[in-house]
């Protein structure tokens, strides 16, 4: 779901960079030394898994882990996504430099919303909450993708084989995969590293 260079219009590029920079500034405020290894680990995890391409005809998708990263990092998620996306663009041309801000926003916003939903969801079992959040995070990411494309050019949504429709169909199986992976990961963290999930919700 990485947007490449040349897809977005200049106003969308500028606005998304502004939002991503602001989100990183907020995330970096008051950061503690002991949080840096956790952020680095999440950045490395995203960098690795999002390079995996899963063919879903007529397109291909890749794991996002927005829900899991959001549950663990909360508002600090942009600090993991931005450097990982930057390295992917520079090293593998996966995504782009002009679209770096948009890609950061597209992943960070669902991640933070996933964190808030996880804390407020009235379900006691962490695995169940994690599974639901993992699936919902994919939906949120696709919605933001559609919004960014629509702001650039409404024709992206036109026709039987529009980019929007292909994205929606292609990411449907990923919802299931992300839900299962997030459920198991959250269950493991809850049993072995409970302090990794911040208790206080900052809205």
């Amino acid at each position: 779901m990485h947007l490449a260079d040349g897809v977005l219009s200049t106003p969308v590029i500028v606005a998304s960079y502004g939002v991503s920079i602001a989100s990183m500034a907020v995330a970096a405020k008051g950061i503690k030394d002991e949080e840096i290894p956790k952020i680095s680990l999440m950045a490395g995890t995203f960098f690795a898994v999002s390079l995996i391409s899963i063919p879903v005809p007529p397109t291909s998708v890749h794991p996002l882990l927005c829900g899991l990263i959001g549950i663990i990092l909360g508002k600090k998620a942009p600090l993991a996504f931005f450097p990982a996306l930057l390295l992917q663009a520079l090293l593998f041309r996966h995504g782009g430099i002009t679209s770096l801000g948009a890609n950061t926003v597209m992943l960070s916003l669902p991640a933070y919303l996933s964190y808030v939903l996880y804390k407020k969801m009235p379900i006691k079992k962490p695995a169940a909450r994690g599974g639901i959040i993992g699936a919902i995070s994919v939906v949120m990411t696709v919605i933001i993708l559609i919004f960014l494309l629509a702001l650039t050019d409404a024709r992206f949504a036109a026709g039987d084989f529009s980019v929007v429709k292909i994205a929606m169909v292609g990411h449907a199986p990923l919802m299931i995969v992300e839900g299962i992976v997030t459920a198991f990961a959250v269950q493991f963290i809850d049993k072995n590293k409970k302090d990794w999930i911040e208790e206080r919700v900052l809205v």
Side-chain angles (χ1 to χ4, degrees):
M1 194 181 285
H2 289 35
L3 289 166
D5 288 326
V7 174
L8 301 175
S9 64
T10 301
V12 174
I13 291 172
V14 173
S16 58
Y17 256 106
V19 174
S20 66
I21 291 171
S23 66
M24 285 189 289
V26 172
K29 185 177 181 180
I31 193 171
K32 301 175 182 177
D33 291 341
E34 57 268 25
E35 293 176 307
I36 295 176
K38 183 168 65 173
I39 295 171
S40 301
L41 178 60
M42 291 299 100
T45 300
F46 172 78
F47 177 87
V49 300
S50 63
L51 288 175
I52 301 172
S53 180
I54 305 172
V56 181
T59 183
S60 64
V61 298
H62 61 77
L64 300 169
L65 296 185
C66 280
L68 178 60
I69 293 174
I71 290 170
I72 294 174
L73 296 183
K75 69 171 185 175
K76 297 178 180 66
L79 299 178
F81 287 125
F82 186 86
L85 289 167
L86 176 60
L87 288 175
Q88 287 180 342
L90 294 175
L91 298 176
F92 302 103
R93 295 186 179 180
H94 194 51
I97 298 300
T98 59
S99 59
L100 179 59
N103 286 328
T104 302
V105 172
M106 187 167 58
L107 296 167
S108 299
L109 182 55
Y112 179 67
L113 292 176
S114 295
Y115 167 70
V116 175
L117 287 173
Y118 181 82
K119 289 299 180 183
K120 294 182 176 293
M121 190 175 290
I123 299 176
K124 293 184 177 181
K125 291 186 177 180
R129 280 191 290 169
I132 294 171
I133 292 301
I136 292 176
S137 67
V138 176
V139 177
M140 291 191 289
T141 308
V142 172
I143 290 173
I144 295 175
L145 169 65
I146 293 171
F147 179 72
L148 291 172
L149 292 176
L151 286 177
T152 295
D153 192 337
R155 289 175 295 181
F156 278 118
D160 293 333
F161 296 99
S162 67
V163 175
V164 168
K165 290 180 180 178
I166 291 174
M168 292 173 65
V169 173
H171 284 83
L174 186 63
M175 289 175 56
I176 301 172
V177 175
E178 294 260 347
I180 295 172
V181 170
T182 305
F184 278 105
V186 169
Q187 185 178 36
F188 177 83
I189 292 171
D190 184 70
K191 288 182 178 180
N192 300 281
K193 205 73 175 176
K194 192 181 283 283
D195 60 322
W196 269 39
I197 301 177
E198 177 66 50
E199 287 300 323
R200 188 163 55 102
V201 178
L202 300 174
V203 180

